[in-house]
């Protein structure tokens, strides 16, 4: 059965049908008690009314196979065109100093994929990977502003101890094995979904540092590096025993301890009994070691962590019969975003924006600079 719009178009495309309507109306008016003075204006009005009613329908679409194509019941609103995915990242070129001294140029999108693949497990929740992508992008712009590799003709390097970790797609695929294809796409989506998004404080990119796992809370920047930053302050972090090697133990003999201290050349005196080598341990509010005396020399918790090759500065230490046992919780320096904490938040329903706002106090999210 044809709908009303189809019938209307048939009427307009075949004038004789309209005439039939008029003639039929005229027949009904052929009554002796209806005068011609009434009949004629009525029929004229009927004809004009039909034309005025049906004529606008011709503007709703062009005939197709003899029928009118109507507009949708609720017209689609006019909006600005959405830019293609990764438009900002793809427009930026970054020069990366490789381990062999060569410099490779690539888009920011390609660089970020390589960083996220190296820095965070691809098995993590998508929202955690998106948060990591924003961290990596922000940290990259912060490093670019420092011009630390300008002498080498580069913007940033592939050394995690200096800039950020880096891996090639081929290396990542080898590591991922059978999951390489979905993981490759998953990380590309994380980067694209946050295209151009960075964190700023006071209008400038922040030092978006991150680490693996916290011992219940992150650390103030001042406690680790001696410099206070308003967006790098201690906050709670929800990860726990699901983290691989969350609790670890390092054991050192007196001879091993002495060798490490002498190599560091910190001027410590280890001539006394080993029971007195480590003293005056002080903790921060987050539970990490703020300072500890080693052979009479005061070291920060971070320096002690490096000296004794511990996974974090959140540790206790005991000594028995010349053997030192360090019990450690978490992994990393403890400042900024905790990657396993971010993943725990994502599993609980937090968005990447929620995650970043939690770990970086008072920052603003914006597109590029």
């Amino acid at each position: 059965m044809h709908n009303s719009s189809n019938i209307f178009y048939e009427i307009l495309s075949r004038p004789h049908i309209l005439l039939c309507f008029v003639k039929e109306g005229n027949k009904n008016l052929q009554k002796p008690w209806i005068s011609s003075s009434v009949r004629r204006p009525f029929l004229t009005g009927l004809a004009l009314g039909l034309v005025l009613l049906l004529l606008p329908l011709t503007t709703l679409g062009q005939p197709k196979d003899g029928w009118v194509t109507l507009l949708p019941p609720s017209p689609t609103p006019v909006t600005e065109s959405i830019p293609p995915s990764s438009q900002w990242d793809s427009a930026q070129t970054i020069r990366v100093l490789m381990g062999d001294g060569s410099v490779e140029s690539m888009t920011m999108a390609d660089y970020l994929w390589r960083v996220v693949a190296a820095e965070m497990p691809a098995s993590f929740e998508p929202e955690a990977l998106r948060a990591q992508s924003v961290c990596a992008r922000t940290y990259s712009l912060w490093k670019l502003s420092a011009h630390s590799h300008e002498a080498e003709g580069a913007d940033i390097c592939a050394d995690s101890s200096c800039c950020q970790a880096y891996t090639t797609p081929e290396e990542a695929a080898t590591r991922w094995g059978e999951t390489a294809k979905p993981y490759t796409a998953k990380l590309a989506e994380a980067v694209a979904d946050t295209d151009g998004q960075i964190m700023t404080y006071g209008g400038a990119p922040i030092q978006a540092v991150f680490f693996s796992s916290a011992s219940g809370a992150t650390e103030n920047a001042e406690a680790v590096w001696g410099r206070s930053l308003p967006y790098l302050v201690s906050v709670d972090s929800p990860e726990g025993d699901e983290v691989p090697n969350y609790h670890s133990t390092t054991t050192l003999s007196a001879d091993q301890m002495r060798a490490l201290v002498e190599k560091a050349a910190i001027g410590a005196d280890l001539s006394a009994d080993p029971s007195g080598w480590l003293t005056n341990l002080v903790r921060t509010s987050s539970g990490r070691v703020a300072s500890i005396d080693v052979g009479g020399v005061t070291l920060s918790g971070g320096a002690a962590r490096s000296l004794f090759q511990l996974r974090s500065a959140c540790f206790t230490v005991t000594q028995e019969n010349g053997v030192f046992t360090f019990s450690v919780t978490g992994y990393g320096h403890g400042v900024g975003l905790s990657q396993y904490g971010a993943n725990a938040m994502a599993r609980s329903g937090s968005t990447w924006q929620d995650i970043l706002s939690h770990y970086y106090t008072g920052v603003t999210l914006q597109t590029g600079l």
Side-chain angles (χ1 to χ4, degrees):
M1 180 179 292
H2 300 316
N3 60 33
S4 59
S5 64
N6 295 335
I7 295 173
F8 292 155
Y9 188 79
E10 282 293 300
I11 292 172
L12 291 175
S13 62
R14 294 168 174 81
H16 66 278
I17 296 178
L18 180 59
L19 183 60
C20 287
F21 274 102
V22 178
K23 287 182 176 180
E24 185 65 25
N26 183 51
K27 183 187 300 183
N28 292 328
L29 292 172
Q30 297 301 318
K31 308 295 181 182
W33 58 84
I34 300 178
S35 66
S36 61
S37 61
V38 173
R39 186 184 307 116
R40 186 176 297 109
F42 179 83
L43 293 175
T44 302
L46 175 62
L48 289 175
L50 285 170
V51 171
L52 292 175
L53 174 65
L54 301 177
L55 185 59
L57 293 174
T58 62
T59 65
L60 295 180
Q62 296 301 318
K64 181 178 180 181
D65 298 329
W67 306 108
V68 173
T69 303
L70 295 177
L71 290 176
S74 299
T76 303
V78 177
T79 59
E80 295 182 3
S81 61
I82 300 174
S85 179
S86 294
Q87 185 181 61
W88 192 91
D89 288 340
S90 296
Q92 314 301 315
T93 300
I94 189 167
R95 301 168 300 168
V96 184
L97 177 65
M98 301 298 171
D100 60 4
S102 63
V103 176
E104 292 186 20
S105 294
M106 62 190 72
T107 66
M108 179 66 79
D110 288 340
Y111 171 68
L112 292 177
W113 188 97
R114 289 158 170 78
V115 171
V116 176
E119 291 282 12
M120 178 174 274
S123 60
F124 272 21
E125 297 292 323
E127 291 299 304
L129 291 167
R130 292 184 181 101
Q132 181 69 63
S133 299
V134 178
C135 287
R137 185 182 296 107
T138 304
Y139 190 80
S140 298
L141 293 187
W142 180 81
K143 287 293 290 187
L144 262 63
S145 67
H147 305 289
S148 55
H149 291 288
E150 194 170 292
E152 296 102 324
D155 301 309
I156 204 163
C157 76
D159 181 358
S160 62
S161 64
C162 176
C163 295
Q164 299 182 102
Y166 179 96
T167 190
T168 66
E170 294 76 19
E171 292 169 342
T174 299
R175 187 172 73 251
W176 293 332
E178 294 180 354
T179 59
K181 186 173 181 179
Y183 279 176
T184 296
K186 186 179 181 182
L187 266 60
E189 289 176 4
V191 173
D193 289 347
T194 61
D195 177 48
Q197 291 295 300
I198 64 169
M199 293 176 285
T200 62
Y201 193 93
I206 70 167
Q207 189 174 350
V209 292
F210 48 88
F211 63 101
S212 178
S213 60
S215 54
T218 64
E219 187 57 271
N220 296 316
E222 185 176 14
V224 178
W225 297 309
R227 179 190 173 200
S228 175
L229 289 171
Y231 52 83
L232 293 179
V233 296
S234 179
V235 298
D236 292 340
S237 196
E239 69 272 41
D241 289 333
E242 80 278 6
V243 179
N245 300 312
Y246 187 58
H247 300 287
S248 59
T249 301
T250 297
T251 302
L252 298 173
S253 66
D255 289 341
Q256 290 172 320
M257 175 78 76
R258 182 181 286 106
L260 290 173
V261 172
E262 290 177 352
K263 183 178 180 180
I266 59 175
D269 179 9
L270 300 183
S271 59
D273 185 85
S275 61
W277 288 2
L278 303 181
T279 58
N280 299 328
L281 188 150
V282 178
R283 296 192 180 279
T284 68
S285 59
S286 73
R288 293 172 178 81
V289 174
S291 63
I292 186 171
D293 288 353
V294 179
V297 176
T298 301
L299 299 181
S300 68
R305 175 205 171 198
S306 298
L307 176 61
F308 302 129
Q309 301 171 6
L310 308 177
R311 287 172 60 84
S312 85
C314 184
F315 64 84
T316 60
V317 57
T318 59
Q319 186 277 140
E320 186 175 357
N321 299 324
V323 176
F324 296 85
T325 301
F326 295 87
S327 299
V328 186
T329 304
Y331 184 30
H333 51 64
V335 181
L337 176 135
S338 165
Q339 294 172 317
Y340 276 92
N343 198 47
M345 289 184 66
R347 283 202 311 268
S348 297
S350 296
T351 66
W352 61 268
Q353 295 96 329
D354 296 333
I355 294 168
L356 295 176
S357 296
H358 175 72
Y359 283 107
Y360 301 100
T361 303
V363 300
T364 298
L365 281 166
Q366 67 179 69
T367 302
L369 284 177

